[in-house]
Each structure stands twice: as structure tokens, then as C-alpha cells.
Amino acid sequence: MSIATSTHLDKNLIADSFSSSAATYDQLAHLQQDVALTLLKKLGDIEHGVVADLGCGTGFCFEWLQQNKNISNVSLVGVDLAEGMVQFAANSRRHVDASWVCGDGEQLPFADNSLDVMFSSLAIQWCEDLDSLMSEIKRVLKPGGKFWFSTLGPKTLHELRSAWQAVDDYVHVNKFIANDVLKASIKKNGLSVNDWQESFEVYYYDEVRDLTKELKGIGAHNVNEGRPVGLTGKTRVLKFKQAYEEFRQHETGKLPATYEVYYGCLAQAQ
């Protein structure tokens, strides 16, 4: 039986959503920055070559690399699907010596065997066809090159998903790829796993609207097929909030939001 590696995502909606949130992203992207820092610390020393950030967003990662690693002999290229993010990075990280390109992970804007290192933090879950992504990664990496990434697993935001399931049958929360599907696509496309780590990160909120406001503010809207269209009525919203209250922690009085995070390092299969 074949394993499906494609999802039904509206890439124009993804790009527009993240573009419109570029100015507010850094103030609200707490999980995203925490995960990015964990990933960046795994990279080790980068002494020379071409390094690309797939899903560069506001350029946060390159700024951190410049401040914390000796990358004077490294060429940096940031790639993002959202043109608004690319423009924001170019304008706001002027002190970072990098090129910024609007591009798609499934059609990477690089020549064959051109990258020494590529990394991607919490971006590949927005790709529609995982096999196309993995094939492109293999194509652009030099022999011995590595691809470091973080992405989200299917248990991410299970509280939010469960609360909406108590209301209706629409898809309200983005779907994320399970580790076995991800690893199968990696192997199928001629890449090997050099490093793998899984963790759960839990963030806490006073009210569920604080979580939903944050997700909206960073552009992480629901872009899956089967999402509801139009406004959500007050009665359904109230039912949703009441369902989420079942997760409130007795010890802290807070509402949790859980993220399942995968970290990996891929290389050309030997």
C-alpha cells in the first residue's frame, strides 16, 4: 500500500496570510523562535559555503547566526513562499549580509548540487507534496551537504482540535504529517536520516482567545481542505470555548496548547 505524502493546502492563502503578518510575527512567534533556536544550536560550525534558510520568515535565524557564529566566509540565502516576509526580512535585517528570495520548497530556486547546508524551522509542514520537497532537497544539496529541519507532528494543538470537534465536523486546525510518513518520504527520495529528535512543547494561556489571537497574528491560519467558510456564529464559538475549558490546568489555572516537534538532519543517502 502506498503512503500518501500530499495534502490539500491553498498555497496562495498561505503566502498571503504570512505576508500580512510579517510586521507582527516576531512579537508573537514565541514557539517558532524557541524551536528555531533549538535547531540552530544543532547546526554546529559553518566555516564556508552556501547556506540557505527555507521558510526564512522575517530573517530571525540569519540574524542569530551572524551574532552567535563565525560565518564571515558563508553566503546566506533566505527563501520564503510569502513575498511579504521576504520584503520584511530584506528591509528589517539590513545589517545581515544575505540574499532574500521568494520561492517554493517544492520548486527550489537553486541549481543542482549548489548548497552546502540548508535548514528549515517550522516551514516544511506548509508544503503540499512532501515527495516533491524531498526530491528538491536531494537535488540542490552538494555531496556531503546536510538539511537540518524542524516540523510539527499530528498531535500538535490536539486541545484546539478536540474542542472544535465538539462543535462541528469542519477542519479547524491544520493537519501535520506523522513521523512514519515523513521518514518514508525521506528514504524514498534518496536521503538518509543522520539525526532525529522528538519533543512536546506546551505553552500556556489565560484564555483561549489569547491562543487564537496569537495564531492569527503569526499567519498560521487553517488552510486545509474542509475548513469552514464565513463567520462562525456566537453559539458555536461559545461551545468551542466551553469545550476547551476542559483542558484548563488545576495547578496553574492556565489553558495548555501542545506542540509535537520533530527535529531532523538529512543527507544524501550513501
Side-chain angles (χ1 to χ4, degrees), residues 183-235:
K183 288 180 178 178
S185 182
I186 291 167
K187 182 178 180 180
K188 174 183 176 182
N189 288 281
L191 295 166
S192 61
V193 178
N194 285 11
D195 184 73
W196 190 273
Q197 178 187 343
E198 300 182 11
S199 67
F200 285 94
E201 307 296 336
V202 184
Y203 289 72
Y204 294 94
Y205 301 85
D206 292 324
E207 303 294 338
V208 69
R209 66 173 175 268
D210 299 328
L211 168 61
T212 56
K213 181 180 178 180
E214 180 178 289
L215 293 173
K216 182 178 180 180
I218 64 171
H221 295 300
N222 175 17
V223 293
N224 285 275
E225 187 176 53
R227 64 185 180 273
V229 178
L231 298 175
T232 303
K234 291 183 178 180
T235 301

Side-chain angles (χ1 to χ4, degrees), residues 65-103:
L65 284 176
Q66 183 172 274
Q67 293 173 351
N68 292 276
K69 291 183 181 289
N70 180 10
I71 56 172
S72 57
N73 294 320
V74 174
S75 296
L76 302 176
V77 185
V79 182
D80 203 284
L81 182 67
E83 185 175 356
M85 282 291 192
V86 172
Q87 292 175 349
F88 185 89
N91 293 328
S92 65
R93 314 286 181 183
R94 294 177 186 269
H95 59 285
V96 176
D97 186 12
S99 300
W100 309 97
V101 181
C102 188

